[in-house]
């Protein structure tokens, strides 16, 4: 019959090493999926042309919600929903129950503004 008697200290040492050597891995894993609801990274991830246009409209630091930019046709079209944008200066993108929307289309490797309109602020 097999016994832990002589092996218990070695097993305990191995288990302790696992927990002592990996606390940061557990911490990173639990935070990896967090994305703040109003986050400048949602703008930083946009293509340069689109990002520059948003920066020009905001005139200062901008933060965007998850659905500020939506992507259509395998990212050939980017639709911006300005009800999901906060600027520390500038702004005023909504009028009553409508907000500015813009569509950028990729042509020749660059995005160009193709459409700008006011639409419902809940889409």
């Amino acid at each position: 019959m097999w016994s832990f008697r002589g092996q218990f200290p070695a097993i305990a040492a191995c288990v302790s090493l696992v927990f002592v050597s990996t606390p940061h891995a557990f911490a990173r894993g639990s935070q990896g999926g967090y994305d703040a609801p109003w986050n400048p990274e949602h703008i930083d991830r946009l293509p340069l042309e689109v990002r520059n246009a948003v920066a020009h409209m905001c005139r200062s630091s901008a933060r965007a919600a998850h659905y500020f930019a939506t992507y259509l046709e395998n990212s050939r079209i980017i639709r911006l929903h300005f009800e999901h944008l906060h600027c520390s200066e500038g702004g005023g993108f909504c009028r009553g129950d409508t907000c500015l929307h813009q569509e950028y289309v990729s042509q020749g490797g660059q995005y160009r503004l193709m459409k700008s309109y006011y639409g419902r602020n809940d889409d």
Side-chain angles (χ1 to χ4, degrees):
M1 175 165 239
W2 188 67
S3 171
F4 283 110
R5 215 178 263 244
Q7 298 174 347
F8 183 73
I11 292 171
C14 288
V15 170
S16 296
L17 281 175
V18 168
F19 286 110
V20 168
S21 65
T22 59
H24 298 292
F26 288 121
R28 280 193 301 269
S30 65
Q31 294 175 356
Y34 179 73
D35 187 13
W38 293 98
N39 192 333
E41 286 184 15
H42 295 141
I43 297 166
D44 295 342
R45 294 176 188 155
L46 292 169
L48 181 62
E49 302 88 5
V50 180
R51 191 170 59 237
N52 286 342
V54 171
H56 180 73
M57 294 173 78
C58 264
R59 297 190 306 249
S60 65
S61 64
R63 296 173 298 137
H66 295 284
Y67 297 107
F68 170 62
T70 55
Y71 299 85
L72 307 164
E73 297 181 20
N74 293 325
S75 297
R76 192 178 80 76
I77 298 173
I78 300 173
R79 185 175 293 152
L80 301 181
H81 305 260
F82 284 82
E83 66 269 25
H84 301 295
L85 180 70
H86 280 185
C87 301
S88 58
E89 290 181 39
F93 303 116
C94 294
R95 300 177 187 161
D97 62 348
T98 62
C99 291
L100 179 63
H101 293 179
Q102 291 183 336
E103 289 184 15
Y104 288 82
V105 177
S106 176
Q107 295 176 332
Q110 291 191 336
Y111 284 89
R112 306 238 183 255
L113 178 63
M114 296 304 287
K115 191 179 197 183
S116 189
Y117 61 96
Y118 278 83
R120 288 189 348 243
N121 66 3
D122 62 353
D123 65 345

